[in-house]
Structure formats: structure tokens, C-alpha cells
Amino acid sequence: MRVLYSLMWWLALPLVLGRLWWRGRREPGYRTHLGERLGFYGRRLDKRPTIMVHAVSVGETRAAEPLIEALLAARPDARILLTHMTPTGRATGKALFGKHGDRVIQSFLPYDTGFMVGRFLCHFEPAVCILMETEVWPNLIHGCAKHGVPVALVNARLSEKSLRRGRKIGALMTDAARAITLVAAQTDADAERIASLGAAKVAVTGSIKFDVVPPQAALDTGAMLRARFADRPVLLCASTREGEEALILDAYKALDQRPANMLLVLVPRHPQRFDEVARMVEERGLSLAHRSKLPEHVDTDVLLGDSMGEMFAYYAACDCAFIGGSLLPLGGQNLIEACALGRPVLVGEHTFNFLQATEEAVAAGAALRVPDAPALLRAAAGLLDDDGRRAAMGAHAQAFAARHRGATVRTVELLQQIIA
């Protein structure tokens, strides 16, 4: 099965590279470091122990921050090799860890063929391979086993939908799961599903995302944004996905009892969609400002969050936050950062990627679930008009986030058992 999987990778490689070049029209980072994606690297590193952490994109990279900081503190003799699949993830890693100099180095993970993975492992010689959340790559895991490199899947989550998909490819996924040395799962349900695929050592440590601390620079940026919003009531729609913005804008325009001077802040999850979303706003006759061209006073209907790495700042500047990916069956995004900053949270019906955290937030009074975009705007308007209710939800949100901290310490304790 793995041979067939590898063959499919080789056959698809011209299309994969073509798509990479095509995406580079809007995101030039996709056209950089191409050799790394194919398993070709520069000079050899010195012989310090190398701890590999794979964080595919922005969300996983930000989630890995407390873990990486803890590993750097626990192993002053070692370096971190932080790998990614997207240029935005790489840029986020540089912003977060550039202060550590050569103790944190970065690379794109090569495509998952035996040849490319083998070159990667021979070049970097990692002492351990740590995969974040859902990043199970069969040839990488097989290559690590072949080279005697233990593999840990941390902050691991697996939805029922992903489990069904994994079972469809049968031995490929079960062989990979059996070869993983250690799994640190977010919840009991995640642990049970991962163990059912064959993983032998599975522990429940909680979500590392609860341990992420808002950077002071982000809070300062949030204060600057808030000053430019003045006293306007602000609804943030964070990490929205394709199809959601049109629903939200239509509901916003149709809202009968909109709070006076209400501001809608839209932050699409993918930067290549910034221009598309801007056109949607203008086509509906709504006035628009851009974060990238921020005026002294934001007096428009909508502010487009066309910046990267500023989600904490947006949360700090808003009065309540909707978490995208949940109005449509896309699985939802992480609500923890909004809760940590004490913001009331709104989510749609589709949160299967973060189901337990979302359900617990709703039960704790930190979040409200809405069935559709009109209900979202009505619920947001109600919160923006009710200072007492909004403050109570914000307090519940902060308490909810505080109760779940500590996953990083538990995860590092497990990892120290397998890091040479």
C-alpha cells in the first residue's frame, strides 16, 4: 500500500509543482526554497542534537510556540528544526522564533516520497520527529523508523470524519499509526480514535493552545486598532472560509436593528482571498477600509483584516468574535485565543475539528452556537447592545481558558522519555 502511495506521489509531482507555481502568483513564498520541498539542502549543520517539530501552517506554528519554548528551556544543548508546508507558516515561525537565532532553524518538509524523506533525514539527522495535531505522513514515519528516529504526534486530534477517511485507506494509515512512538492527544475522544487505528502508546495531555500567551506587541497593536475604532461596537469574524463571507455580509446588510455605528471586521483565513473578499464588500454597497492601509479613524461599515499574524491583535480590539469555518461544514477553527482574551465567542453548527473545546466553551457560558449567518448577526447585535451580558460572557471565557492550561508541561514530560 505504501509503494502505491509513493507511486501516486511521483505521478502527481508535476501537477503539485505546477500548482505551487500557480499559487506563487499571489503568494510569492510558494516559489521560494523549492529545493527543500524536493529534499535538497545546503551545508551540513553542526552536531548539536536536533529536535524536529513539524507545524504545517500558521495555526499549528502558533500552537507550537509554548512547546518549542519549553523544549528550548529543557534542552539548552539542542536546536529546534521547525518545518512547514506553507510560506505563511514559515513566516509566522520566523516572527515567533527569530529571536532565538540559530537555536531555531526552519525548512519546508519535503514531499512524502521515500527518496525525498530519506535525503531530509540524512541531512538534518533529527533526534526525534514531533508532528503537530494531524500531520501523519506515512513515508516520513516509515523513514524515521528506518533511521531509528522516534516519532511523537502531539496536541493530536482526530475527528470522526477523519477517522472514517483514515480507515478507507486501510493499511497505509494503520501501519503509520503503529509506527508512531508516542501520541499526546488533546481529549479522551481523540485518544480513543487514534488508538483504534493502531497507535500503541496514547496519553491525554490536553490542548497546548490553551498555553499560548498573547504577545505584548500584539496587545499593543490591538490597543492601536481599538483607538482607531473609537467607541464603535465591533464584531470580529475571524478566520472566515470561502462561502462564509458572502453569508455574513448579506446578513450584516439585512440586519434590522443594527447597533449604532457597528463595525464589522472580516479576517479571511487565507491571504490569497483578501482581494476577493474586498470585492464582495464593495459589490454590496458597503464602505470598506483595509488593515494594510489603516486610516486614522475607521468610519466604514467593514474593515478587512488583510494582514498576517495579527489575530491576537484583532481579538484584543473587538467586543465579540465569531470563529470562522463553522457556518459551513468545514470543521471550525480554534476559539481558545478569543477566550483567553476574555472575548464572548460565537460559533456555527460545524465545529467537528474542535468539538470538545467548543462544547465545553458553550457549556461554560463562554460561547454561543448559532445556526446560520442571520442568527449570528442577531446574536452579535444583542451582545453589542448589552454591556453586562457581554462582560459576563467574557469573564466566563477567561475562566474557561485558564482551567485548561498545563498541557505543555504534561507533553514535555512525555517527550523527555523518548528524546535522546
Side-chain angles (χ1 to χ4, degrees):
M1 190 71 180
R2 192 169 52 81
V3 172
L4 178 60
Y5 167 77
S6 299
L7 178 61
M8 290 174 65
W9 257 113
W10 282 108
L11 292 174
L13 196 58
L15 294 175
V16 170
L17 293 174
R19 183 172 182 271
L20 200 70
W21 197 256
W22 180 261
R23 294 188 72 176
R25 295 176 310 132
R26 293 185 177 179
E27 290 183 74
Y30 277 105
R31 295 181 178 181
T32 63
H33 307 288
L34 290 178
E36 294 176 359
R37 295 183 183 273
L38 301 174
F40 294 94
Y41 308 95
R43 63 181 180 83
R44 291 272 183 171
L45 303 174
D46 61 55
K47 290 298 183 180
R48 274 180 292 173
T50 298
I51 299 171
M52 173 191 166
V53 178
H54 179 55
V56 60
S57 191
V58 174
E60 294 84 0
T61 303
R62 288 165 61 189
E65 182 183 8
L67 176 64
I68 289 174
E69 295 291 352
L71 289 170
L72 288 170
R75 291 295 303 267
D77 61 321
R79 70 164 68 85
I80 300 293
L81 167 62
L82 181 58
T83 61
H84 313 275
M85 294 300 289
T86 71
T88 51
R90 188 170 185 144
T92 299
K94 184 176 181 180
L96 290 174
F97 307 112
K99 61 189 176 185
H100 292 296
D102 68 353
R103 288 206 67 200
V104 179
I105 59 175
Q106 292 178 272
S107 173
F108 284 125
L109 189 70
Y111 294 125
D112 200 37
T113 72
F115 169 77
M116 296 174 195
V117 165
R119 290 183 60 88
F120 171 83
L121 294 172
C122 288
H123 179 84
F124 289 108
E125 298 181 328
V128 64
C129 170
I130 301 172
L131 306 174
M132 292 293 296
E133 298 197 6
T134 60
E135 292 301 300
V136 176
W137 294 97
N139 276 325
L140 174 63
I141 293 170
H142 176 78
C144 285
K146 184 178 177 181
H147 286 78
V149 178
V151 177
L153 181 64
V154 307
N155 213 42
R157 57 185 174 88
L158 186 69
S159 67
E160 280 290 347
K161 182 178 179 180
S162 295
L163 176 61
R164 290 193 297 270
R165 191 163 55 237
R167 283 176 171 157
K168 285 181 181 178
I169 55 177
L172 184 67
M173 189 56 66
T174 55
D175 287 351
R178 291 189 186 108
I180 295 174
T181 313
L182 169 69
V183 177
Q186 293 188 22
T187 69
D188 290 330
D190 291 316
E192 185 176 333
R193 287 190 282 265
I194 294 168
S196 74
L197 288 175
K201 185 173 182 180
V202 183
V204 179
T205 53
S207 174
I208 291 170
K209 292 182 179 180
F210 283 103
D211 295 332
V212 175
V213 177
Q216 186 58 50
L219 299 180
D220 292 343
T221 300
M224 179 274 292
L225 291 172
R226 185 73 247 190
R228 299 200 184 188
F229 299 162
D231 58 355
R232 301 183 65 182
V234 178
L235 167 63
L236 167 67
C237 292
S239 297
T240 54
R241 302 278 297 277
E242 187 169 5
E244 291 187 314
E245 296 92 358
L247 297 173
I248 291 168
L249 288 167
D250 288 341
Y252 176 65
K253 190 172 181 180
L255 188 63
D256 291 331
Q257 296 181 326
R258 188 187 303 176
N261 214 19
M262 176 181 174
L263 173 64
L264 174 64
V265 179
L266 269 181
V267 185
R269 179 165 175 78
H270 299 118
Q272 63 269 28
R273 299 189 58 247
F274 289 159
D275 292 343
E276 174 191 351
V277 175
R279 286 193 296 272
M280 290 182 192
V281 175
E282 292 165 349
E283 286 168 358
R284 286 160 175 79
L286 297 168
S287 55
L288 175 67
H290 295 254
R291 165 66 181 100
S292 58
K293 305 171 187 175
L294 193 68
E296 282 298 318
H297 302 287
V298 179
D299 57 3
T300 55
D301 297 311
V302 179
L303 174 73
L304 177 64
D306 56 349
S307 62
M308 294 299 298
E310 291 194 324
M311 195 57 76
F312 265 126
Y314 290 119
Y315 286 132
C318 76
D319 293 299
C320 63
F322 163 70
I323 309 301
S326 61
L327 279 181
L328 298 174
L330 300 166
Q333 303 297 148
N334 166 33
L335 52 66
I336 295 168
E337 292 178 359
C339 290
L341 284 173
R343 296 301 181 262
V345 170
L346 298 161
V347 294
E349 297 283 359
H350 308 283
T351 56
F352 52 81
N353 284 338
F354 300 91
L355 185 60
Q356 183 163 327
T358 304
E359 293 292 344
E360 290 182 3
V362 171
L368 290 174
R369 195 181 288 280
V370 295
D372 52 32
L376 160 63
L377 269 296
R378 289 193 298 271
L383 284 169
L384 294 175
D385 273 337
D386 190 336
D387 294 346
R389 185 177 175 219
R390 196 170 65 249
M393 275 190 73
H396 290 318
Q398 278 191 313
F400 162 73
R403 281 197 303 273
H404 288 80
R405 292 189 181 119
T408 301
V409 171
R410 294 186 287 271
T411 301
V412 171
E413 287 175 352
L414 285 173
L415 289 172
Q416 287 177 329
Q417 301 172 16
I418 64 171
I419 299 177

